[in-house]
Amino acid sequence: MNSICVCLQIDFSLTQPRAEDMESVYQKYIKGILSFLYANPKVFVSVSFTGPQLAWLDEKHPECIRLLSDLTSRKQVEILGGGYYLPLFPLLLPVDRSGQIEKLTSLLAATVGKRPRGMNLCGSVWDPSLITTLQSCNMEYVHLESSLIPSGRTKYLPVITGEQGKTVKILPTYREFIPFAAELYDAWLKRITQAAKKELSKKTEARAIMTIPFSAQEFSSFMGSPACIAISDEKVAAASNGVDLVLPQQYLKTAQSFVVTYVPAGMSTALAQWATVPYQQGKVNGQFPLTIHDYLNVYPQNRRLYERMMHLSMLISQYHGDKARRQTSREKLWLSQAGWSYVTLPYGMPAVAQMRQLSYQALNDADDVIHEEDARESMTSYDYNADGLNEYVCSMEKYTAVISLKAGSITELDVRKGGGNYAANLSRIEEFDGVTDSYQRGIFVEHLFESQEKKKYLSLEPAGNGIFSRVQFVEKKFDSKRHEVQMEGRGEFSSMQLPVILRKNYIASSSGILVQYILKNDSPLPLKALFVVESNFAQTVFADTPQSEYEAELVHDNQREELSLNKTTGYDSGVSTLLLTNAANKTSFVFEPNENSGFALLPVQFKRPHKDIQPVQTSETFCVSFFWDVDLPAGREMEKNVSISFVSARKKTRPRKNSQ
């Protein structure tokens, strides 16, 4: 006899459940599905919810929870567990893995009245190290996409895999057995039985198991299909030629044969196809499965979110203060670990900037909770992003910043009580944005251009190589007590390959950062160029139009001016102060060069695929640049300073007029 296990996922395509979205899904799918199941006791289904979805249903539709409880009591429905916020488990520390599983398990026990014994994984993102966590959380089995099972193993049987003496059972899922729209019951049944017979007839007498995963939308369509109507009929089901619907636990309790194999790290085909070339679907080689870390390496901004999450996870684990405060901080951390912050489900594309910024906001909240008690300021040096080079992490009274030796820029900027990561900028890709940036956009990125390249730069066209925006700086001095790091970058300018040196000194204080520059002409010839200090501020608020997020004012020729942020603005000289304010939370950034400068404000839009191959605008960056003409004889130097201060939202801050 062959068995079919219907696995209903409600619904991994949803992100954080807003009330209006969840109400729509409930009325459109969930309500009808539960009514159908209650009226058709011969249809057995395993069901999985995320924690926020289940909590919303418990609050807004308790009748739904009561119905689920009745269905589980009569052993028609089996509730699956998992991570409360649908995390990508291999990216988490063990304490967060078990914490998220137990949080959802406790909610299921309190609402539906059952503790789950099996679970789904977001995107089938798997790693053998999860086995220990699953066993400690009393999870007996897990669903994984069948593509993760090594080739050559017998199909349509449960798998058992082990790690360091501990084991877990795996029920592979097969989307290819979802009935076609108008497929008759006999034809569907024939497909299943023939596949099982071909695979198992000569290998074993064991009962085959086909686990078929449905989304809420797919199951709603399935309910009206000829195949489901036939299954619901007791007479047809009784004469179904050796095929029955079962629940996972029901099958596993009587299973006599398991495929013993080692299942290496991997993820679903939907994710793996996007993990080779950025924003392009590629072929999946089953012999060498791609992992979630391969995926993050292709998408730097998603990887940076992971790095920030890991940093906070370690800080919370090392925090030994108030236990309630630590748990509150960890709850915020778990929210930031949601899989929808990294991947767009179920399509497999990387999550867009809006979802990443929601995660950054949760991480900042987690950081603020423990910082309120332990407000010590520090600048530490360690390999923050696991690239083999040290970064510099500034944890100060008003902000956290990460300084990288790559281009010597700030790659992470989180202002306390101030929203997301202001340095989470994309760079343009020609296929989507019409032009490719030759550098990673950050805060305090420097360029050295020839005079004729100035117009191109201000028109957002590629303008030379910028030199220092692509240079690997080297550390010259690091002083953790003074919160200071000195670095040096070297390059060659123009077609004449004139050697130039830029020494860059970051000094962090409680309320801001001062960057000191020394540009040296190290060639025997005079140097004429344009020196640019560029800072990019990412979009962090997406509820309104992008233009509504920031407001900008500057002092130009001792006069205060308000700037329009929906067009390019530029001045050749005379700029002494810039005030950039996040209108959503009133966090202000005050830039002050030590000498009047030229200035440019350049809004940059980014388009990316999102739920479709066709790109759409998903985020925007506001690029602000200060620049000076350079005329240096051989061997001479030029000094410049630019400071940035972070001002609280409580009072409206105006830029000061230059007293000169």
Side-chain angles (χ1 to χ4, degrees), residues 537-562:
F537 286 82
Q539 182 180 352
T540 66
V541 178
F542 295 81
D544 301 314
T545 59
Q547 291 80 4
S548 68
E549 179 177 359
Y550 290 104
E551 299 171 349
E553 300 177 16
L554 58 75
V555 174
H556 174 238
D557 290 339
N558 293 324
Q559 298 296 319
R560 187 170 61 238
E561 300 180 17
E562 293 189 2

Side-chain angles (χ1 to χ4, degrees), residues 3-7 44-47 71-73 75-81 108 112-119 137-143 158 169-171 207 209 211 244-256 258:
S3 297
I4 299 172
C5 177
V6 175
C7 179
F44 300 95
V45 177
S46 62
V47 184
L71 290 169
T72 56
S73 295
K75 297 183 179 180
Q76 183 186 351
V77 167
E78 180 177 339
I79 301 293
L80 298 178
L108 285 168
V112 182
K114 295 287 185 180
R115 294 181 65 89
R117 295 300 181 202
M119 58 185 281
C137 294
N138 297 313
M139 291 296 165
E140 299 172 2
Y141 69 92
V142 63
H143 287 301
K169 299 180 180 75
I170 296 174
L171 289 177
R207 180 165 49 117
I209 176 74
T211 302
D244 62 343
L245 288 182
V246 297
L247 296 176
Q249 274 190 285
Q250 176 188 347
Y251 174 88
L252 291 172
K253 282 180 179 179
T254 59
Q256 298 296 315
F258 293 89

Side-chain angles (χ1 to χ4, degrees), residues 305-324:
L305 174 60
Y306 161 69
E307 292 157 2
R308 169 71 169 159
M309 183 271 290
M310 285 301 299
H311 177 71
L312 258 296
S313 186
M314 289 186 289
L315 287 182
I316 295 169
S317 296
Q318 295 167 3
Y319 174 75
H320 299 294
D322 180 70
K323 290 183 179 179

Side-chain angles (χ1 to χ4, degrees), residues 325-430:
R325 187 179 293 274
R326 180 175 62 184
Q327 185 58 33
T328 300
S329 182
R330 195 177 293 281
E331 290 277 351
K332 296 292 185 181
L333 172 70
W334 289 345
L335 174 58
S336 77
Q337 294 169 343
W340 55 72
S341 299
Y342 297 88
V343 297
T344 299
L345 299 169
Y347 311 99
M349 303 172 190
V352 293
Q354 179 178 8
M355 304 314 302
R356 292 196 300 271
Q357 289 292 2
L358 288 173
S359 186
Y360 276 121
Q361 290 170 20
L363 287 169
N364 292 342
D365 291 342
D367 194 6
D368 289 343
V369 169
I370 57 175
H371 185 81
E372 286 173 355
E373 181 178 359
D374 184 4
R376 288 175 294 180
E377 297 185 335
S378 66
M379 177 185 276
T380 56
S381 173
Y382 76 101
D383 191 0
Y384 175 88
N385 60 7
D387 66 348
L389 300 171
N390 281 357
E391 284 72 38
Y392 308 92
V393 182
C394 306
S395 181
M396 311 303 285
E397 178 186 341
K398 292 190 175 182
Y399 64 94
T400 296
V402 177
I403 303 169
S404 172
L405 289 171
K406 293 182 177 179
S409 68
I410 295 176
T411 58
E412 174 93 25
L413 179 60
D414 307 291
V415 180
R416 303 202 185 282
K417 312 294 184 184
N421 175 13
Y422 291 98
N425 299 282
L426 295 174
S427 293
R428 292 177 296 175
I429 300 174
E430 185 171 3

